Short mmCIF file of all heavy atoms in Angstrom, two decimals:
data_model
loop_
_atom_site.label_atom_id
_atom_site.label_comp_id
_atom_site.label_asym_id
_atom_site.label_seq_id
_atom_site.Cartn_x
_atom_site.Cartn_y
_atom_site.Cartn_z
N GLN A 97 -10.71 39.65 21.39
CA GLN A 97 -10.39 38.52 20.55
C GLN A 97 -8.94 38.67 20.11
O GLN A 97 -8.05 38.16 20.77
CB GLN A 97 -11.36 38.42 19.37
CG GLN A 97 -12.70 37.86 19.82
CD GLN A 97 -13.62 37.59 18.67
OE1 GLN A 97 -13.26 37.59 17.50
NE2 GLN A 97 -14.88 37.35 19.00
N CYS A 98 -8.67 39.47 19.09
CA CYS A 98 -7.28 39.60 18.66
C CYS A 98 -6.49 40.49 19.61
O CYS A 98 -5.29 40.39 19.71
CB CYS A 98 -7.19 40.10 17.23
SG CYS A 98 -7.36 41.90 17.03
N GLY A 99 -7.18 41.41 20.31
CA GLY A 99 -6.52 42.27 21.29
C GLY A 99 -6.01 43.58 20.75
O GLY A 99 -5.51 44.41 21.53
N PHE A 100 -6.12 43.83 19.47
CA PHE A 100 -5.54 45.05 18.91
C PHE A 100 -6.24 46.30 19.42
O PHE A 100 -5.59 47.28 19.77
CB PHE A 100 -5.54 45.01 17.38
CG PHE A 100 -4.64 46.03 16.75
CD1 PHE A 100 -3.27 45.96 16.92
CD2 PHE A 100 -5.16 47.06 16.01
CE1 PHE A 100 -2.42 46.90 16.36
CE2 PHE A 100 -4.33 48.02 15.44
CZ PHE A 100 -2.96 47.94 15.62
N CYS A 101 -7.55 46.28 19.53
CA CYS A 101 -8.29 47.44 20.01
C CYS A 101 -8.37 47.48 21.53
O CYS A 101 -8.76 48.50 22.11
CB CYS A 101 -9.71 47.46 19.44
SG CYS A 101 -10.81 46.20 20.15
N THR A 102 -8.01 46.41 22.20
CA THR A 102 -8.24 46.26 23.63
C THR A 102 -7.62 47.35 24.50
O THR A 102 -8.30 47.87 25.39
CB THR A 102 -7.81 44.86 24.10
OG1 THR A 102 -8.51 43.88 23.31
CG2 THR A 102 -8.11 44.64 25.57
N PRO A 103 -6.36 47.75 24.31
CA PRO A 103 -5.81 48.79 25.18
C PRO A 103 -6.63 50.08 25.16
O PRO A 103 -6.93 50.65 26.21
CB PRO A 103 -4.40 49.02 24.64
CG PRO A 103 -4.03 47.72 24.01
CD PRO A 103 -5.32 47.21 23.41
N GLY A 104 -7.03 50.51 23.99
CA GLY A 104 -7.84 51.72 23.88
C GLY A 104 -9.22 51.53 24.50
O GLY A 104 -9.75 52.44 25.15
N MET A 105 -9.81 50.36 24.31
CA MET A 105 -11.11 50.06 24.91
C MET A 105 -11.01 50.08 26.43
O MET A 105 -11.88 50.62 27.12
CB MET A 105 -11.63 48.69 24.46
CG MET A 105 -12.06 48.62 23.03
SD MET A 105 -13.65 49.41 22.76
CE MET A 105 -13.93 48.92 21.07
N LEU A 106 -9.94 49.50 26.97
CA LEU A 106 -9.76 49.45 28.42
C LEU A 106 -9.64 50.86 29.01
O LEU A 106 -10.25 51.17 30.03
CB LEU A 106 -8.52 48.63 28.78
CG LEU A 106 -8.60 47.13 28.54
CD1 LEU A 106 -7.22 46.49 28.67
CD2 LEU A 106 -9.59 46.46 29.47
N LEU A 107 -8.85 51.70 28.37
CA LEU A 107 -8.65 53.06 28.88
C LEU A 107 -9.91 53.89 28.76
O LEU A 107 -10.23 54.69 29.66
CB LEU A 107 -7.47 53.72 28.17
CG LEU A 107 -6.13 53.10 28.58
CD1 LEU A 107 -5.06 53.39 27.55
CD2 LEU A 107 -5.71 53.58 29.95
N THR A 108 -10.65 53.70 27.69
CA THR A 108 -11.92 54.41 27.53
C THR A 108 -12.92 53.93 28.57
O THR A 108 -13.63 54.74 29.18
CB THR A 108 -12.47 54.19 26.11
OG1 THR A 108 -11.52 54.71 25.17
CG2 THR A 108 -13.80 54.88 25.91
#
Side-chain angles (χ1 to χ4, degrees):
Q97 284 187 12
C98 82
F100 196 65
C101 72
T102 304
M105 289 284 188
L106 290 169
L107 290 159
T108 300

